[in-house]
Amino acid sequence: MSVRTARTALVAATAVALSVALAAPAMAAGPAGTGHEATRKAIEAAVGDGVPGVTVTAKDGRGAWSATAGVGNLKTGKPRSADDRYRVGSITKTFVATVLLQLEAEGRLSLDDTVEKWLPGAVRGNGHDGSRITLRQLLNHTSGIFNYTADEDFGRTYFLKEGFFEHRYDTKKPEDLVALAMTHKPDFEPGTSWNYSNTNFVLAGMVIEKATGRPYGDAIRERIIKPLHLTATSVPGTRVTVPGPSSRAYSKLAETATGPTYDVTEINPSLAYAAGEMISNSTDLNRFYSALLRGRLLPREQLAEMTTTVPVNEANGYGLGLMETELSCGVTVWGHGGGIHGSISEAITTKDGRKSLAFNLNGDWSGDTGAVIEAEFCGKASAKASLPGSGHARNTWLAPAGLSDLG
């Protein structure tokens, strides 16, 4: 079985249907009177499925509520903390899209600009043509550009045991990640379909750097992290450690969900770049998504652009670095999921930004994130609610679980 085939099979077996994740007073969530007992049971079930530990925080007008289950360190048995910082994978994409939309609002670029205009020659070869792809198509994954993390050699090098331990500290340049994608044919003609591609957001980060003349992480820090006082959030660049307080991160580093468990906490996140390198915690993520949907970060016109979606399946649509999902109880939530080695995260909020939920699993081979979301917003568990970016780490920061051939 190829890495690509095995990876797809594993996701189909362990991930929930779409992705974009516990003792205090109950908060209003979904149906009247819903508390957090269902959420507590859902995170405990994830630990029962084999996830080492889970940390979760929900927030609404009545205040914040946090809980943990399992452990943050398999060697010492130290529990997870509500304040844990963790790698958020593809949740990075919402931050990147927000900055690009801010630059548009300032007249410094247009989402209808072509990729070629900003990055001459970067998207070219094997049928790729940056002059026919817009920045908007990067942000809503309708560009057709091949997803570099679907390359089989890349998968063997960075997601399986033998390659990971040899290459975990490698520094990857964004230009190299794009060049790898260009060795493959496009998935489809620009604007004719939808497919999640991490290459899109690597390019988006490069455009930010071209437009501002500085690293894209500087723009995120100055435009989002500092104004919102996101004290646990960072863009690590090539830093291989996770700042404390934090837990260890674990993976099987295999084509199956069985076998030995490895500590993969330390990794050079440049292999994800603007598609998934950021670090945060649940409190910060709730604050970010709530502020975003309430219009604190974008003018009305740009927020409307961000929340204009293309269909993904019957219950889900993808906007600009932001996912819309209708839950089983009729509640619609917005947000994103994220997965990277040893870390699976979800961050979601209601359209009015009044109720938010963020959580993290410190293992990447098991656990039903959709059940946690449904439990908190609907008061019951249902495997219908994960957001793009979550799922098994080999496919995430990476790709939306259960949506397509994830490579």
Side-chain angles (χ1 to χ4, degrees):
M1 181 182 291
S2 71
V3 172
R4 182 180 181 87
T5 302
R7 194 176 301 152
T8 303
L10 181 57
V11 169
T14 63
V16 294
L18 170 73
S19 184
V20 157
L22 279 148
M27 300 187 297
T34 298
H36 302 291
E37 190 56 33
T39 310
R40 181 187 300 279
K41 290 180 179 178
I43 67 170
E44 290 173 350
V47 173
D49 286 342
V51 175
V54 185
T55 181
V56 57
T57 296
K59 185 177 182 181
D60 71 358
R62 300 182 185 181
W65 170 87
S66 299
T68 65
V71 299
N73 189 313
L74 290 174
K75 287 186 176 180
T76 66
K78 180 181 177 180
R80 296 213 64 178
S81 165
D83 298 321
D84 268 357
R85 301 181 187 191
Y86 45 81
R87 301 190 189 277
V88 302
S90 276
I91 290 172
T92 302
K93 291 179 170 67
T94 312
F95 287 82
V96 170
T98 300
V99 169
L100 270 178
L101 284 161
Q102 289 176 339
L103 292 172
E104 182 190 56
E106 295 163 10
R108 300 174 68 174
L109 55 75
S110 168
L111 293 191
D112 295 321
D113 290 344
T114 65
V115 176
E116 180 70 14
K117 174 180 178 178
W118 287 99
L119 305 171
V123 178
R124 190 176 297 169
N126 282 313
H128 288 95
D129 183 355
S131 68
R132 300 175 56 223
I133 297 169
T134 66
L135 303 187
R136 188 186 313 275
Q137 289 169 336
L138 296 181
L139 298 186
N140 66 12
H141 295 296
T142 61
S143 71
I145 296 173
F146 182 83
N147 179 12
Y148 75 93
T149 60
D151 179 86
E152 288 199 21
D153 286 341
F154 188 92
R156 282 191 291 267
T157 301
Y158 294 103
F159 296 106
L160 299 183
K161 176 187 174 183
E162 291 76 12
F164 175 81
F165 287 113
E166 181 178 351
H167 296 282
R168 68 192 299 178
Y169 300 123
D170 289 359
T171 293
K172 304 295 290 185
K173 295 181 180 180
E175 294 82 4
D176 295 336
L177 303 177
V178 174
L180 175 60
M182 295 303 104
T183 66
H184 297 266
K185 294 184 181 300
D187 294 324
F188 48 81
E189 287 292 307
T192 63
S193 187
W194 184 92
N195 192 47
Y196 195 91
S197 173
N198 291 295
T199 315
N200 288 327
F201 277 78
V202 170
L203 289 161
M206 294 168 67
V207 170
I208 291 172
E209 296 189 352
K210 191 70 173 289
T212 63
R214 302 177 64 188
Y216 90 94
D218 287 355
I220 289 178
R221 281 184 284 270
E222 293 171 5
R223 293 168 172 270
I224 301 174
I225 293 175
K226 289 182 180 178
L228 294 182
H229 304 290
L230 305 180
T231 57
T233 303
S234 60
V235 185
T238 59
R239 187 185 68 218
V240 303
T241 57
V242 179
S246 59
S247 292
R248 308 304 292 177
Y250 298 98
S251 180
K252 297 296 184 181
L253 296 176
E255 295 179 357
T256 67
T258 59
T261 299
Y262 300 98
D263 187 322
V264 295
T265 309
E266 291 190 2
I267 186 173
N268 186 328
S270 64
L271 85 170
Y273 183 62
E277 72 167 277
M278 288 181 66
I279 292 169
S280 190
N281 73 0
S282 299
T283 296
D284 275 11
L285 291 178
N286 284 336
R287 185 177 301 156
F288 167 62
Y289 279 98
S290 178
L292 178 63
L293 271 294
R294 286 175 178 239
R296 290 182 55 193
L297 294 171
L298 295 173
R300 183 176 300 177
E301 178 182 349
Q302 275 67 40
L303 184 57
E305 286 188 286
M306 186 178 230
T307 54
T308 298
T309 63
V310 294
V312 174
N313 62 21
E314 292 183 0
N316 304 274
Y318 199 95
L320 305 182
L322 191 67
M323 189 76 182
E324 177 186 24
T325 299
E326 182 180 352
L327 305 181
S328 64
C329 57
V331 172
T332 297
V333 293
W334 295 79
H336 216 287
I340 192 166
H341 302 73
S343 181
I344 301 296
S345 309
E346 301 271 7
I348 54 269
T349 189
T350 50
K351 183 65 177 291
D352 59 10
R354 292 183 178 179
K355 177 171 177 56
S356 303
L357 173 73
F359 62 96
N360 171 262
L361 285 58
N362 65 337
D364 62 24
W365 65 90
S366 186
D368 188 343
T369 59
V372 181
I373 296 170
E374 286 274 345
E376 181 60 29
F377 285 88
C378 297
K380 59 181 179 180
S382 173
K384 188 185 176 181
S386 295
L387 302 176
S390 64
H392 195 281
R394 286 205 300 276
N395 311 291
T396 53
W397 91 70
L398 292 174
L403 289 180
S404 60
D405 183 352
L406 306 179

